[in-house]
Amino acid sequence: MSDSREDLEARVEKLEHELQVEQHSHKAKKSVRARSHKKLLGLPLYDVAIGPDFESGEARGHAKGIFAIGDQATGVIAVGGIAQGGVAIGGLACGLLSLGGCAFGLLGVVGGVALGGFAYGGVAIGLKAIGGVAVDPGWFSNAQLPITKP
C-alpha cells in the first residue's frame, strides 16, 4: 500500500477538519455560557452556565449573578441543580425562599425534604411544618405523622 504524499496530506487535512467539527459540535451540545455586561451590586444582571467549560477547566457550570441559571447557581434568584441565594430553586436548594427536592431556608421552604421557618414537604421540619412527616415546636403542625414537643 503506497499512498502518495499528496494523498496522505489530503487524508490528514480531512481528518483534522472532521475532528475540529466534532469538537465544536460537542461543546455546543454540552455547554451554554451567557453573562450580562450590565452589573448591579457588583454582580452581573444575569449569568447562565450549563455544562462543562473545557477552556477554563470547569467540570460543571457555576453561574453567579442577580439572576443565575446553571448546574450550580448562586444569586438573588438562583435556578440550578444546586441553587443558593435569596430565592433558590433546584434539586438541592438553600436560601431565604427555597423550592427543591431537598430544600433549606430561613423563611418559606417547599421540597421533598424541607427544613426551615415555614416548611412544606414530604418530610417537613421547621417552626411551622406541614407534610407527610412534620416536625415543629408545637405551635402549628398539620401532618399525617406529627412530631412535636409536648
Side-chain angles (χ1 to χ4, degrees):
M1 177 168 174
S2 76
D3 291 326
S4 70
R5 180 180 175 101
E6 292 82 22
D7 290 340
L8 290 173
E9 288 175 353
R11 287 175 57 194
V12 167
E13 187 175 322
K14 181 181 175 189
L15 287 171
E16 286 175 344
H17 177 71
E18 288 176 4
L19 179 62
Q20 188 177 26
V21 168
E22 178 63 28
Q23 286 175 340
H24 287 297
S25 66
H26 178 68
K27 286 183 182 178
K29 292 178 185 175
K30 299 286 184 176
S31 181
V32 176
R33 295 289 186 276
R35 178 174 282 172
S36 170
H37 295 292
K38 294 183 180 181
K39 293 191 174 197
L40 182 63
L41 302 173
L43 293 171
L45 188 59
Y46 65 85
D47 190 16
V48 178
I50 300 171
D53 185 2
F54 300 111
E55 293 173 4
S56 66
E58 284 185 348
R60 59 193 73 68
H62 187 172
K64 299 175 186 173
I66 301 297
F67 297 98
I69 300 172
D71 299 324
Q72 183 176 352
T74 303
V76 176
I77 297 176
V79 179
I82 300 172
Q84 54 204 31
V87 176
I89 302 169
L92 175 61
C94 182
L96 293 175
L97 300 172
S98 299
L99 171 66
C102 187
F104 306 93
L106 294 176
L107 300 176
V109 184
V110 177
V113 175
L115 174 64
F118 298 95
Y120 179 80
V123 175
I125 303 169
L127 296 175
K128 297 191 179 197
I130 300 172
V133 175
V135 180
D136 69 23
W139 302 317
F140 177 78
S141 179
N142 183 0
Q144 299 298 317
L145 179 60
I147 303 172
T148 60
K149 285 188 192 176

